[in-house]
Amino acid sequence: MEGLPNNLRIPDIWQQDAVNQLLAGRDVVVNAPTGAGKTYIFELLVERGLRSQAIYTVPTRALANDKLYEWRGKGWNVGLCTGDFADKLDAPIVVATLETQKAKFLQGRGPGLLVIDEYQMLADARRGINYELAIALAPPGTQLLLLSGSVANPEKLVGWLQQIGRDAVLVEHTERPVPQDEIQLQALPDVGSNNVRGFWPRMIARALAEDFGPILVFAPQRREAENLAAKLSAALPLPEWLELTAEQRAIAGDDLAKLLRNRIAFHHSGLNYRQRAGLIEPLAKAGQLRLIIATTGLAAGINFAMRSVLVTEREYHHSERSFQVRPDELLQMFGRAGRRGLDDKGFVLVAPGKPRMAEARPLSLKRASTVDWPSFLAVMHEADKASECPVKAADELANRLFTDQRLRLGLRRLPTPGKKQPAKPATKPASHQPLPTAEIAKTKAGDSFENALGEFHFREPEAKKIKEMRNAEGEWERLRAPSKARLGDALLYINGNWKPALETPESLQGVQIGNLCRLKGKGRRLYGRQVPLATFPNEERKGRVSLVKWFHRALKDHFLKERPDDRTPGRLCTLERLEEVYAPLLPYFTQGGRLVDLVPQNDTISARLDYSQAMVFARVDASGEALINPPQREVAPAPFPSFAEFAASGAETAKRTPAEIWLQLGLIDNYKRPTRRGVIFSFFNHGEGLAIAAALEDKSYDLYDLLFDVANLRAGYRFEHFDNTSGRLGNLCRLTYRGLTAPGYLDGGMPPGYGNGAAEVIAALTESPEAAHRFLGDELRHGDIERASLEWRSILNHIAFAPDFYWDRWMDFKELTRQYVLSHFGIIRLAEMPALTPQQRTRFEGSLAV
């Protein structure tokens, strides 16, 4: 690590203690408040010289990229590994998401130092199993540094590390670097908020007026975040705008750029990465923004502090589900209040009935209830290949997990082939009497392992109604999301029939200016609008026309906003100027109407406008027709068979232990060895391996189609309007796995987070990247498409470089994916972020108050 710059900051005693323990070769668990300087421990270690490679893991890609740019900015040699992207993997320091490292640990390999930032993720219901296995399988030569600020019992983690043979110590620090006070918003003077409507806008305006800015506000949904930001920006203008460069304005887009100029922003997953990490976060860190409204679900990905924090609700929404904000999540959010080196105090802003400081507390760490199926199957497969006992290998791994009770997999209780089993009492056939979930959840005391299997049950998927629309052929199909189309190409549903929109007067009812008229041309009669523009001059003003009031006002507003250097239009102008300069601007003022001709009538000059090129929101059906307001209906999906209907009349009903579930899902055979399906599944971290294995088993499933269809696996619900053919993968999963639910792996027979429609969108954008606007709407934003593309790329990378397994379908799919990744993603580089201007890098010294 030669050439690393010296940092003149003097470390605190607890930070020095942690570094000394690491230099002595011990594992170190650090527990200290948000903002206290946990990351600085690693930076100090780097400056003193790393003896081998260090992998620094963080929970999200955004945080990984943030660390990468920060440390490369110091001149450090840093690589990146986030699933979707890999760069300089042999660098002395690699920033990574933890899941990308687990395969190494399963093979007994690891770096010299593994840093796990936010190790409380160990308790996360979905990702905790990967954190647990990475720690449990870290080889003796890998030193551990675990960092968190929201764990109540870090000594339990230290005890676990010592129990599995590691030399671990705890370094704890409880004092916040910036103390915090709680501020009751309703007790603040109602000054400066007279023009603000709505409860939260008024409360925030009060806080800004009392100089509690900059403020980080957490809102439960995207729309609320955007609306709140817009209301406050409109009501609370600043005398000194934030000047953006042309590149920054292009990245931000019109709506966000207007807010940023007023030093206000929203922050959610619908924004693309460059908007969040290239604009909002750098400007916030530089002290240029006075207010950021972020969605609660993205709280873990925020890496900046502000003077005050406000959490508006205890509930937030993610992937069509509602979640309660946990006390440790509140602790992390409130921990962002107070900027070290800038504020003497941080402030937590509260209102009656809303989250308060007293509700925020550390998490009592315990393992997630699920079991890491793929890792167990992977070690069992390796043991089987080495002619060793798979059951013994699984038991050894189970004994290293983070639990007070021994985890019982149930492998030894499975019947041995050929051995006669005791007779079971007769039961009513499952098809006549489905077993209640409460009964399925029961297990014998000896089979319990922290109630993990009590959550496994058979269920019929929820009968969520499907929205359909009548298409141009008069048939019903899945409702598509609105997209922009030319009005001249669109169809309108009138009196039970579809007609070209502009052949019906109803198509222009929404245009509130002028009068309806008929246009001639191209063999058909189209409707348009006729609007007055000017009156003829009287004798004293010969040679000039007088603009009518509405047109003159519209021109003045346009010139002031878009052409401030040009002369503002006067009420009088020449006829030539009217025709050559002003008339071409009519589409801006008339919702897209283009001039056909000027018509003199009495003493008035009117324009006839054609709306063929005007853009409207329509729903494009499967044949490509743009439909305006098509008839809609909601229908129940076709009933999906319950497990009882799948099973034979005398089949077994509930399964209890992991081993029984694995056997039932076809992941192991009767000899307790992983099957072909189980081996493929073991190459993945979550349920997507089950889906891919099922698809490969269907020989009629074209591999190139599957390459795109895997984009659905982590897409979520926001793409569902665009589903056309990729739903085959989901349906195949439901059939293969009988509509079962197993937390973390299957939800109604499909991997959790599965969402139809993403494959169609990604395939379309692969061919025509400029067509993204066709898919955007209230639900689907640029950031959603970007995230789905990154997840798809991550899955493809995972498949391309997964282990070999000599099944022709797997190897062919692996090779196809590898070739696609190398040809399409090989030249992808990290996005360059726009540099802040010198003025933007200097902290804004003007008042951030109202």
Side-chain angles (χ1 to χ4, degrees), residues 4-284:
L4 293 177
N6 292 323
N7 193 323
L8 298 179
R9 177 179 161 188
I10 300 174
D12 295 336
I13 293 175
W14 63 276
Q15 293 168 327
Q16 296 181 53
D17 182 29
V19 171
N20 290 335
Q21 297 286 0
L22 289 166
L23 292 173
R26 298 184 179 89
D27 294 341
V28 176
V29 176
V30 176
N31 196 56
T34 299
K38 295 182 290 296
T39 306
Y40 187 48
I41 293 169
F42 174 71
E43 294 175 348
L44 283 170
L45 188 67
V46 172
E47 291 171 8
R48 295 194 185 185
L50 291 173
R51 289 172 283 195
S52 56
Q53 189 185 50
I55 305 291
Y56 192 102
T57 68
V58 290
T60 66
R61 294 188 183 101
L63 291 174
N65 285 313
D66 188 70
K67 286 298 177 192
L68 178 78
Y69 287 117
E70 178 185 343
W71 288 338
R72 282 188 177 176
K74 292 184 174 188
W76 295 7
N77 184 6
V78 185
L80 180 71
C81 186
T82 53
D84 60 300
F85 191 86
D87 182 49
K88 299 177 68 175
L89 297 183
D90 58 348
I93 301 169
V94 175
V95 185
T97 48
L98 186 129
E99 282 84 353
T100 62
Q101 304 302 304
K102 197 176 74 170
K104 294 180 183 177
F105 298 138
L106 284 167
Q107 299 166 8
R109 299 183 294 116
L113 175 66
L114 175 68
V115 184
I116 300 181
D117 202 352
E118 309 295 354
Y119 70 77
Q120 75 277 0
M121 290 291 296
L122 188 84
D124 184 78
R126 175 168 168 78
R127 299 178 63 191
I129 54 178
N130 294 308
Y131 277 72
E132 179 185 39
L133 262 294
I135 296 171
L137 293 173
T142 294
Q143 201 173 356
L144 300 177
L145 171 59
L146 311 183
L147 309 173
S148 181
S150 56
V151 172
N153 56 343
E155 66 283 346
K156 183 173 181 179
L157 184 64
V158 173
W160 171 45
L161 294 175
Q162 292 171 345
Q163 179 184 329
I164 60 177
R166 305 193 68 94
D167 183 9
V169 295
L170 173 64
V171 174
E172 197 164 14
H173 180 69
T174 58
E175 184 178 344
R176 281 190 53 81
V178 181
Q180 293 179 332
D181 279 349
E182 185 173 278
I183 302 298
Q184 292 290 338
L185 287 170
Q186 288 189 311
L188 298 177
D190 195 4
V191 178
S193 58
N194 294 330
N195 298 324
V196 185
R197 297 184 179 275
F199 176 77
W200 284 122
R202 288 181 68 84
M203 293 298 103
I204 294 167
R206 290 183 185 185
L208 288 172
E210 291 297 306
D211 204 23
F212 286 113
I215 306 174
L216 175 59
V217 180
F218 288 104
Q221 294 185 23
R222 292 178 178 181
R223 193 167 299 168
E224 291 180 32
E226 292 185 10
N227 290 343
L228 189 53
K231 287 179 181 178
L232 286 160
S233 183
L236 307 173
L238 275 178
E240 185 177 342
W241 283 347
L242 170 61
E243 294 297 333
L244 301 175
T245 65
E247 183 184 9
Q248 289 172 332
R249 288 196 298 272
I251 292 172
D254 291 340
D255 293 341
L256 182 58
K258 290 176 184 176
L259 294 174
L260 288 172
R261 290 189 73 194
N262 204 17
R263 304 186 187 276
I264 293 174
F266 52 81
H267 187 283
H268 57 59
S269 59
L271 296 171
N272 64 44
Y273 179 70
R274 297 193 80 195
Q275 289 171 324
R276 294 198 312 267
L279 278 180
I280 297 172
E281 293 172 16
L283 289 171

Side-chain angles (χ1 to χ4, degrees), residues 786-797:
E786 180 183 72
R787 182 188 61 80
S789 297
L790 290 176
E791 294 290 1
W792 176 57
R793 188 186 309 167
S794 179
I795 294 174
L796 294 186
N797 273 327

Side-chain angles (χ1 to χ4, degrees), residues 421-438:
Q421 300 300 311
K424 295 184 179 180
T427 58
K428 187 177 287 189
S431 57
H432 296 160
Q433 185 65 46
L435 193 64
T437 300

Side-chain angles (χ1 to χ4, degrees), residues 631-843:
Q632 298 180 23
R633 70 179 185 181
E634 285 191 350
V635 296
F640 191 78
S642 67
F643 174 72
E645 292 170 308
F646 272 116
S649 61
E652 293 184 48
T653 52
K655 306 302 179 185
R656 292 191 292 270
T657 65
E660 289 175 299
I661 301 167
W662 298 343
L663 185 63
Q664 183 182 13
L665 294 178
L667 303 180
I668 59 174
D669 61 20
N670 289 329
Y671 294 93
K672 308 165 190 178
R673 300 172 303 192
T675 60
R676 183 177 67 186
R677 182 186 292 176
V679 173
I680 299 302
F681 170 59
S682 75
F683 296 155
F684 297 85
N685 286 321
H686 300 292
E688 56 251 28
L690 294 171
I692 290 169
L696 292 176
E697 290 166 8
D698 181 353
K699 293 183 179 180
S700 69
Y701 207 135
D702 183 80
L703 295 181
Y704 193 78
D705 290 343
L706 178 58
L707 184 142
F708 280 93
D709 288 352
V710 297
N712 292 346
L713 291 173
R714 302 177 188 168
Y717 71 96
R718 296 186 185 277
F719 294 83
E720 61 185 7
H721 292 304
F722 306 104
D723 174 31
N724 188 10
T725 60
S726 70
R728 175 180 180 179
L729 181 59
N731 290 333
L732 184 60
C733 284
R734 296 173 72 201
L735 289 167
T736 302
Y737 302 113
R738 305 180 178 185
L740 305 182
T741 289
Y745 300 103
L746 291 171
D747 186 1
M750 296 187 293
Y754 183 92
N756 288 325
E760 281 83 352
V761 173
I762 288 174
L765 295 183
T766 300
E767 295 294 326
S768 304
E770 70 281 357
H773 65 275
R774 290 173 40 204
F775 305 105
L776 300 177
D778 286 341
E779 281 293 341
L780 195 66
R781 307 289 184 88
H782 284 290
D784 300 312
I785 296 175
E786 180 183 72
R787 182 188 61 80
S789 297
L790 290 176
E791 294 290 1
W792 176 57
R793 188 186 309 167
S794 179
I795 294 174
L796 294 186
N797 273 327
H798 194 98
I799 295 167
F801 301 103
D804 288 339
F805 179 70
Y806 294 98
W807 171 29
D808 57 347
R809 289 275 288 174
W810 169 250
M811 295 302 291
D812 289 347
F813 187 50
K814 190 169 176 285
E815 179 59 20
L816 172 67
T817 304
R818 190 181 73 87
Q819 292 297 335
Y820 190 89
V821 166
L822 293 177
S823 61
H824 289 74
F825 304 149
I827 60 172
I828 290 178
R829 294 180 174 86
L830 290 172
E832 292 296 327
M833 298 301 172
L836 299 185
T837 66
Q839 186 176 6
Q840 291 171 348
R841 288 195 297 268
T842 304
R843 190 164 298 278

